[in-house]
Amino acid sequence: MVEVSARVLVIEDAEAIGAAVSSALRESGYEVQHRLDGRQLETDLGRFRPDLVVLDVMLPGRDGFQLLEVIRRSSGAGVVMLTARDGVPDRLRGLSGGADDYVGKPFVLAELVARVSAVLRRLGRTPSTVQVGDLVVDADAGVVMRAGRAIELTATELRLLVYLAAQRGRVVSKTQILTAVWGYEDYDPNLVEVHISAVRRKIEEHGPRLVHTVRGLGYVLRADE
């Protein structure tokens, strides 16, 4: 089984946004620390040694562009800039300064997590392939194999399975799935049930059950011995 343990530093002064981003990243298997400003950035770069920094631009004290310069001078960490500034000049300034990606507010958590994951994979910090039993999920290639057979999934089914694979062995609730895959916290939970059923039907057609229902809690992807 492949373990995902990349370290992500979130620097976001809006506590609610920072907490939501940190929670979503932890649920995707990352080790996360959240800071409200960049006062201890140098210390974090030396001690926490993040593989990637989610960096807000509008921060008290040193802004995101100044912090980006510090990161680029002293670390090989990836940087995803996060800001309400969505203009082309700011995007160009961030990207020309060495940012790997740029996400404007408001955003869907699932998209941000996907962008973080993509940058980490490009940097070689996390694997794109996860194996659970005889099921292999390659998020980068969009390929799912079971016992050597290719399984065709829709785009939404693939996102759902990639999320379950990242959480393999852990029970995730319908609300967590909705937030991570669709970006909703309050929505019809039947949406999850329908797609879980479709994924189950396709990946379990030629093998034992992998997606298990934990009554009253949610779902877990695991291979029972």
Side-chain angles (χ1 to χ4, degrees):
M1 180 181 294
V2 177
E3 294 298 330
V4 178
S5 57
R7 295 178 296 274
V8 180
L9 176 63
V10 177
I11 306 179
E12 166 61 67
D13 63 325
E15 291 193 45
I17 295 175
V21 169
S22 298
S23 177
L25 290 168
R26 288 190 186 101
E27 289 174 3
S28 292
Y30 302 116
E31 183 180 349
V32 182
Q33 288 192 7
H34 174 213
R35 303 287 184 242
L36 297 175
D37 55 48
R39 285 181 295 177
Q40 64 181 74
L41 175 61
E42 287 84 353
T43 299
D44 284 330
L45 291 176
R47 293 183 179 176
F48 183 54
R49 294 179 292 108
D51 295 293
L52 183 140
V53 181
V54 174
L55 180 60
D56 188 27
V57 168
M58 301 296 290
L59 292 166
R62 294 181 294 179
D63 67 18
F65 296 121
Q66 292 172 300
L67 296 179
L68 176 60
E69 292 178 4
V70 173
I71 295 168
R72 282 293 159 259
R73 285 199 306 266
S74 56
S75 171
V79 177
V80 174
M81 302 200 77
L82 182 65
T83 179
R85 288 181 174 178
D86 199 27
V88 172
D90 283 321
R91 285 178 178 267
L92 293 177
R93 182 180 176 187
L95 294 172
S96 65
D100 297 278
D101 205 347
Y102 209 110
V103 179
K105 300 175 183 176
F107 56 86
V108 174
L109 281 172
E111 178 186 0
L112 176 60
V113 172
R115 286 175 180 253
V116 166
S117 299
V119 171
L120 286 167
R121 288 195 296 270
R122 287 201 303 269
L123 295 174
R125 305 299 173 86
T126 60
S128 68
T129 301
V130 173
Q131 183 167 353
V132 181
D134 60 353
L135 176 72
V136 177
V137 182
D138 187 332
D140 275 354
V143 173
V144 176
M145 305 283 292
R146 179 138 199 216
R149 300 185 183 191
I151 299 172
E152 296 295 328
L153 299 178
T154 67
T156 301
E157 290 166 357
L158 179 61
R159 287 199 308 272
L160 172 58
L161 185 57
V162 166
Y163 175 70
L164 291 175
Q167 302 301 313
R168 59 204 176 280
R170 289 188 289 233
V171 178
V172 289
S173 68
K174 291 179 182 178
T175 299
Q176 288 174 308
I177 294 172
L178 281 168
T179 302
V181 179
W182 283 273
Y184 307 121
E185 292 184 357
D186 296 301
Y187 205 75
D188 185 356
N190 289 329
L191 184 66
V192 174
E193 294 177 6
V194 168
H195 284 83
I196 286 284
S197 295
V199 168
R200 271 180 173 156
R201 184 176 65 254
K202 292 180 179 181
I203 70 172
E204 296 170 0
E205 182 178 1
H206 302 292
R209 172 145 294 188
L210 292 175
V211 180
H212 303 267
T213 300
V214 181
R215 193 172 299 278
L217 295 177
Y219 303 96
V220 58
L221 179 67
R222 68 167 183 262
D224 289 337
E225 301 296 334

